[in-house]
Amino acid sequence: MRQRAGIWVSLFWLLTAGTFAAALLRVAWFTPEEATMGVIQKVFYLHLPVAINTFLACMVCFIGSVGYLTQRQSWWDDLAAAAAKVAVLLCSIVLLTGMIWAQSAWKTWWTWSPRLTFSLVLWLLYVVYLLIRASVESRQRRAVVSAVYGVLAFLDVPLVYLSVRLMRDIHPTSITMEPAMRLTLALWFVPVTLLTAALIVLRYRLNRAGRQAAAIPAQPAQPVALRLMGDAL
Amino acid sequence: MNLDTRYALAAYAIGAVLLWGYALVSWLTLRRAHIRARISEPRMSESRP
């Protein structure tokens, strides 16, 4: 059984690395340059999938927080904490790649446009989430405080998404793309989403291991799907 | 290589290093945690009455 899980793990990482390499090759050699922006537009193929996965990680944190507040089971708290860490990582990549693109397209690293400001606020909100977790000593109190905060922090996600539609913004809303460009974008979603899922599961397993090492009895009500995913990674 | 190409390369390098670097660090830490747990298992059973 364990050997079988090992094969699935290897296959998963092979698929992730393979699609990542294929997506890189496709961007470099098989995707045409956009007419007005030129080569710098290619940053978009990484920027957008990572941004969407940031929202997904924030949503997992939100679900974990709501789950903990309603059921008070420790694994919900561990899931929310894992997703928050991944959300900070992904949001950092979104901000950095966006800044690089802005320097080339707008000739400035940063501008306080609504989309950029709400994205920075999102990053700060989840950094503060992690700081709160690190600063509260009592495990139960930490779980409750961070769950309430995790629910509130998620409110910024729709603001980031809708800001370009509801407010005047310099940030592009949509780009006209040729079919080859659309295929590259679709291809990039595969490794980025797989990596996001893998990172959340890895961090979740680490949180569970940390809880067990601290000799606090783990809750047995962990769902079978998460346990199997954990074993597979 | 023009400046825009360098910027695009830098963006992909940052993305790849952060994503795969974090995955590698998390995987190694989890492995270490499992090894530690396996080492401490017999000691725990020995200490039981």
Side-chain angles (χ1 to χ4, degrees):
Chain A
M1 186 72 183
R2 199 159 185 89
Q3 203 174 8
R4 220 174 178 187
I7 295 167
W8 284 110
V9 177
S10 309
L11 274 176
F12 174 87
W13 286 115
L14 211 68
L15 177 72
T16 310
T19 48
F20 197 92
L24 275 176
L25 284 174
R26 193 167 165 82
V27 163
W29 285 290
F30 304 105
T31 308
E33 281 182 23
E34 206 259 343
T36 47
M37 281 188 258
V39 72
I40 197 65
Q41 182 270 337
K42 291 192 176 187
V43 172
F44 174 74
Y45 304 117
L46 174 68
H47 183 76
L48 183 72
V50 175
I52 299 294
N53 276 281
T54 306
F55 296 158
L56 289 178
C58 293
M59 191 186 271
V60 173
C61 180
F62 172 76
I63 292 168
S65 302
V66 172
Y68 184 79
L69 288 174
T70 51
Q71 294 184 6
R72 302 287 164 135
Q73 287 174 349
S74 65
W75 70 268
W76 283 116
D77 180 49
D78 290 334
L79 180 67
K85 276 185 187 163
V86 177
V88 169
L89 174 87
L90 296 178
C91 200
S92 308
I93 296 172
V94 173
L95 289 173
L96 288 169
T97 53
M99 281 166 74
I100 290 170
W101 179 85
Q103 172 59 22
S104 177
W106 302 334
K107 306 295 170 215
T108 178
W109 292 103
W110 187 262
T111 177
W112 294 100
S113 84
R115 170 62 67 87
L116 271 68
T117 309
F118 284 127
S119 301
L120 182 65
V121 168
L122 187 73
W123 182 80
L124 284 169
L125 281 169
Y126 282 89
V127 168
V128 170
Y129 177 94
L130 298 179
L131 290 175
I132 287 173
R133 291 195 72 87
S135 60
V136 181
E137 274 197 30
S138 153
R139 272 180 185 264
Q140 213 145 27
R141 197 172 147 75
R142 179 200 303 156
V144 174
V145 171
S146 49
V148 172
Y149 184 87
V151 171
L152 295 175
F154 184 73
L155 295 177
D156 191 47
V157 171
L159 286 177
V160 176
Y161 183 74
L162 294 171
S163 57
V164 281
R165 284 165 180 81
L166 300 178
M167 292 174 231
R168 275 168 58 106
D169 202 321
I170 190 173
H171 192 283
T173 42
S174 62
I175 303 170
T176 6
M177 288 193 291
E178 291 174 26
M181 295 158 99
R182 255 180 264 148
L183 183 67
T184 306
L185 181 63
L187 181 62
W188 265 102
F189 270 96
V190 180
V192 173
T193 309
L194 289 176
L195 267 170
T196 303
L199 281 172
I200 292 175
V201 173
L202 278 172
R203 298 311 308 187
Y204 169 77
R205 295 262 296 165
L206 261 171
N207 291 343
R208 297 305 290 171
R211 198 179 282 274
Q212 276 155 13
I216 286 170
Q219 304 275 350
Q222 184 185 11
V224 179
L226 257 177
R227 219 180 308 155
L228 286 175
M229 267 164 70
D231 285 342
L233 291 164
Chain B
M1 196 188 289
N2 67 25
L3 194 62
D4 277 0
T5 312
R6 278 186 210 173
Y7 277 145
L9 277 175
Y12 277 96
I14 288 169
V17 167
L18 286 179
L19 281 172
W20 286 100
Y22 195 60
L24 186 67
V25 167
S26 303
W27 182 71
L28 287 173
T29 319
L30 186 62
R31 259 184 82 92
R32 208 174 59 176
H34 280 161
I35 290 166
R36 269 190 193 165
R38 242 175 259 165
I39 291 168
S40 63
E41 250 171 34
R43 261 189 253 150
M44 276 168 74
S45 59
E46 276 165 23
S47 66
R48 276 182 204 149

